[in-house]
């Protein structure tokens, strides 16, 4: 293919004010419509700068895997750094590689499996406080639960009554940091929502510095991530400073609960809208577990549970874009791009491409057969990213989402309260605009579910 030095097509005119407003208003619809109108490579002008949207599976693979070393993580430039400092999500190159090697042992398979009991016991404690007939915001409930789990699993601390307040502080930070160039510009002014986020951040800092100070004072090795970080030495033999420890810990706590809770909240929503899928899943869970507590060893026996969560993360990917910045010029799709080009690769867009998925708007876990997984093009499905920066917490998140869902469905059937408007609210993760108000019904007794369940594929319903 010959390389063109013209720019790819796309919206925005000279200053890109309308595109900026459209992006800020509804980034998911905006990105989808850009791809539909301008194709697989589209240049979007916003606030006098270009970003390029790449919307083909092989392009995703190009940025994230094959040519990963030629791009820095776009995250390092945006608001994340303000909150998370210099840690895994926000550093590049050698610094990033060193940090990744350091933290990796916490996510090895055996280690991750050792977190299973914390996951199910925290979930059961939450369920013990619930009663049939209760109404609650499921998004908030699972956010608090996943926060309690990550803090206990990685930092050996049971949050107890502090959990609700800390979870709300994270919500304040995330809700008040809108993605996009306008927010990046406003961040410097420290007004309005940014000010609220900064205040919440200061309280979270206090909490994390408190964890570090307590651990230093105790002096005992807990065999957890915090002890690992405290033991770590750089090439000169120096330990991490409190600020470095804070950045690592805050990154793991934030990244370690926000996305997983989004995945669960969207899964509950999809199950409530698709009762056949719910029945089939409940039957599988009853048959395999028979009411007992799920363990990591049970998960391979629960293929439908696996398919439901895979499909939920396709339809509503908790991380809806990854961003990259070119370190050197590159050529792709017949275009030449200079160093500094900012690329957006969107899970939301690629997970909904009709030419890949056929019926992308349909929630259909049945599509996730082993053959389907095998023939899926590389880069078509990447809820956890891919390549050297693939989510370090993926094994933990995958296990956690499955264990929590299996545990919760054995006790309750959550139904969306009639008329409750459920809409995506894309922040750094794909949240819900108004949360999701659900009423708890008793879980159907196992025998009834099994009898009601006819084997074989279920018809898909619109998501
Ligand atoms: C459903 C749950 C999760 C989803 C969808 C998710 C998604 C992602 C994605 C897409 C990336 C790559 C970002 C990029 O390439 O720029 C990422 C990176 C990361 N995730 Fe997750 N994540 C989840 C759970 C977790 C958990 C449980 C943890 C920690 C306990 C975690 C910690 C991280 C960290 C530290 C990185 C940065 C890795 C690096 O750059 O080397 N995530 N995650």
């Amino acid at each position: 293919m010959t390389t063109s030095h013209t720019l790819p097509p796309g919206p925005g005119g000279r200053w890109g004010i309308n595109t900026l407003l459209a992006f800020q208003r509804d980034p998911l619809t905006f990105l989808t419509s850009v791809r539909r109108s301008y194709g697989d490579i589209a240049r979007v002008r916003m606030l006098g700068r270009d970003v390029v949207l790449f919307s083909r599976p092989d392009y995703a693979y190009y940025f994230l895997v094959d040519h990963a070393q030629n791009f820095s993580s776009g995250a390092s430039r945006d608001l994340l750094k303000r909150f998370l400092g210099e840690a895994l999500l926000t550093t590049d190159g050698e610094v990033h590689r060193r940090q990744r090697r350091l933290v990796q042992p916490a996510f090895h398979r055996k280690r991750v499996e050792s977190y299973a009991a914390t996951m199910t016991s925290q979930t059961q404690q939450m369920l013990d406080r619930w009663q049939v007939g209760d109404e609650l915001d499921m998004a908030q409930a699972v956010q608090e639960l996943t926060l309690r789990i990550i803090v206990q699993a990685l930092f050996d601390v049971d949050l107890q009554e502090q959990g609700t307040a800390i979870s709300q502080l994270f919500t304040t930070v995330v809700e008040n940091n809108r993605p996009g160039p306008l927010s990046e510009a406003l961040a410097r002014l420290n007004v309005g929502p940014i000010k609220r986020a900064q205040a919440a951040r200061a309280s979270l800092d206090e909490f994390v510095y408190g964890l570090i100070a307590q651990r230093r004072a105790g002096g005992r090795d807990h065999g957890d991530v915090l002890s690992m970080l405290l033991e770590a030495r750089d090439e000169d033999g120096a330990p991490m400073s409190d600020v470095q420890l804070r950045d690592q810990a805050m990154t793991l706590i934030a990244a370690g609960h926000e996305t997983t809770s989004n995945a669960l909240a969207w899964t509950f929503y999809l199950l409530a809208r698709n009762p056949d899928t719910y029945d089939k899943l409940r039957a599988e869970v009853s048959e395999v577990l028979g009411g007992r507590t799920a363990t990591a060893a049970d998960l391979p026996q629960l293929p439908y549970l696996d398919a439901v969560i895979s499909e939920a993360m396709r339809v509503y990917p908790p991380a809806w874009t990854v961003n990259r910045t070119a370190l050197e010029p590159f050529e792709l799709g017949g275009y030449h791009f200079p160093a500094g080009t900012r690329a957006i690769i969107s899970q939301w867009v690629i997970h909904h491409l009709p030419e890949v998925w056929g019926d992308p708007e349909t929630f259909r876990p049945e599509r996730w057969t082993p053959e389907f997984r095998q023939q899926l093009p590389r880069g078509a499905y990447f809820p956890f990213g891919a390549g050297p920066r693939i989510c370090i917490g993926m094994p933990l998140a995958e296990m956690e989402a499955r264990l929590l869902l299996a545990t919760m469905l054995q006790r309750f059937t959550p139904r969306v309260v009639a008329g409750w408007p459920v809409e995506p609210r894309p922040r750094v993760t794909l949240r819900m605009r108004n949360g999701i108000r659900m009423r708890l019904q008793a879980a159907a007794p196992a025998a009834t579910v099994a009898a009601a369940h006819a084997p074989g594929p279920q018809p898909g319903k619109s998501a």
Side-chain angles (χ1 to χ4, degrees):
M1 184 185 286
T2 53
T3 299
S4 158
H5 279 259
T6 59
L7 295 168
R14 179 153 181 212
W15 293 109
I17 301 298
N18 287 340
T19 42
L20 175 74
L21 294 177
F23 179 84
Q24 294 282 140
R25 203 176 312 120
D26 183 354
L28 303 179
T29 305
F30 177 73
L31 293 180
T32 304
S33 78
V34 166
R35 195 266 168 185
R36 204 169 288 146
S37 306
Y38 299 97
D40 299 330
I41 303 186
R43 178 180 51 94
V44 183
R45 192 130 186 105
M46 283 198 264
L47 270 194
R49 293 192 59 177
D50 287 339
V51 293
V52 185
L53 177 67
F54 291 88
S55 310
R56 238 173 55 183
D58 55 329
Y59 293 158
Y61 205 78
Y62 174 96
F63 286 101
L64 301 182
V65 185
D66 278 346
H67 296 266
Q69 71 286 357
N70 297 344
F71 297 92
S72 69
S73 155
S76 57
R77 294 176 182 273
D78 72 13
L79 298 161
L80 269 185
K81 203 157 191 159
R82 205 170 285 271
F83 175 42
L84 300 176
E86 298 278 339
L88 258 182
L89 258 172
T90 45
T91 51
D92 289 300
E94 192 42 40
V95 176
H96 170 260
R97 264 191 296 280
R98 235 187 3 250
Q99 296 190 2
R100 181 119 189 166
R101 268 199 303 274
L102 177 72
V103 179
Q104 193 72 63
F107 297 97
H108 285 159
R109 196 170 61 88
K110 280 274 157 248
R111 189 71 173 253
V112 166
E113 284 177 9
S114 75
Y115 305 142
T118 297
M119 293 173 179
T120 47
S121 91
Q122 283 283 0
T123 310
Q124 272 151 356
Q125 284 173 42
M126 177 186 79
L127 298 176
D128 288 345
R129 293 190 293 271
W130 290 3
Q131 287 186 357
V132 169
D134 283 356
E135 268 187 29
L136 47 88
D137 178 351
M138 186 62 88
Q140 199 183 319
V142 288
Q143 194 202 335
E144 188 175 322
L145 174 62
T146 53
L147 173 70
R148 288 176 185 281
I149 289 171
I150 205 70
V151 173
Q152 182 153 36
L154 301 188
F155 302 93
D156 197 17
V157 170
D158 188 344
L159 282 176
Q160 297 177 345
E161 59 282 355
Q162 251 189 317
T164 310
I166 306 267
S167 154
Q168 275 159 2
L169 289 170
F170 275 108
T171 297
T172 305
V173 172
V174 177
E175 286 285 334
N176 287 294
N177 274 313
R178 292 171 72 117
L182 187 59
S183 316
E184 286 168 44
L186 287 178
R188 288 182 209 109
L189 301 176
N190 197 21
V191 290
I194 299 292
K195 200 166 174 183
R196 282 194 286 282
Q198 289 297 78
R201 189 210 121 135
S203 305
L204 287 172
D205 275 353
E206 220 171 283
F207 162 68
V208 173
Y209 281 124
L211 289 184
I212 297 168
Q214 261 174 21
R215 185 61 65 85
R216 280 201 199 284
R220 182 167 68 82
D221 181 354
H222 289 233
D224 61 5
V225 169
L226 190 49
S227 293
M228 238 166 68
L229 295 172
L230 279 161
E231 286 299 306
R233 296 291 176 267
D234 68 13
E235 58 277 22
D236 305 323
M240 284 192 204
S241 67
D242 275 5
V243 173
Q244 286 170 318
L245 286 166
R246 175 262 173 223
D247 291 354
Q248 299 292 355
M250 192 70 90
T251 296
L252 291 172
I253 299 174
H257 81 284
E258 170 71 23
T259 34
T260 315
S261 70
N262 287 175
L264 279 164
W266 285 113
T267 305
F268 275 113
Y269 168 66
L270 289 163
L271 287 174
R273 288 204 39 149
N274 293 272
D276 292 345
T277 306
Y278 173 84
D279 288 348
K280 195 171 163 183
L281 176 60
R282 178 74 180 106
E284 182 185 82
V285 168
S286 302
E287 206 172 297
V288 173
L289 299 177
R292 70 178 164 77
T293 304
T295 65
D298 292 315
L299 296 181
Q301 272 59 257
L302 294 162
Y304 197 63
L305 174 66
D306 186 63
V308 164
I309 290 172
S310 300
E311 179 71 345
M313 287 203 292
R314 179 189 71 77
V315 178
Y316 291 109
W320 53 283
T321 59
V322 288
N323 305 304
R324 292 291 186 264
T325 303
L327 298 171
E328 33 188 86
F330 66 103
E331 288 177 7
L332 192 57
Y335 294 101
H336 173 87
F337 297 95
T341 297
R342 299 174 89 176
I344 303 186
I345 307 106
S346 167
Q347 285 96 332
W348 176 267
V349 173
I350 295 180
H351 287 187
H352 290 257
L353 289 176
E355 56 273 40
V356 174
W357 303 96
D359 54 351
E361 304 314 320
T362 305
F363 173 68
R364 192 164 58 82
E366 285 70 20
R367 74 173 86 237
W368 290 96
T369 59
E371 304 74 51
F372 177 78
R373 284 179 197 270
Q374 263 211 319
Q375 58 79 47
L376 201 58
R378 296 187 315 181
Y381 181 70
F382 55 112
F384 292 99
R389 298 200 81 120
I390 193 169
C391 176
I392 201 168
M394 180 171 87
L396 188 153
E398 290 197 317
M399 185 178 86
E400 183 177 13
R402 286 154 182 75
L403 288 178
L404 267 53
L405 191 58
T407 307
M408 290 166 79
L409 291 188
Q410 292 202 91
R411 295 273 289 274
F412 295 103
T413 300
R415 302 261 183 236
V416 184
V417 167
W420 191 261
V422 177
E423 275 174 60
R425 163 131 82 186
R427 289 293 185 257
V428 63
T429 58
L430 196 58
R431 300 189 126 234
M432 289 172 165
R433 185 172 300 281
N434 309 296
I436 177 168
R437 194 111 197 117
M438 301 193 97
R439 179 172 298 116
L440 302 176
Q441 292 186 354
T448 324
V449 178
H453 163 58
Q458 301 280 321
K461 287 214 177 146
S462 172

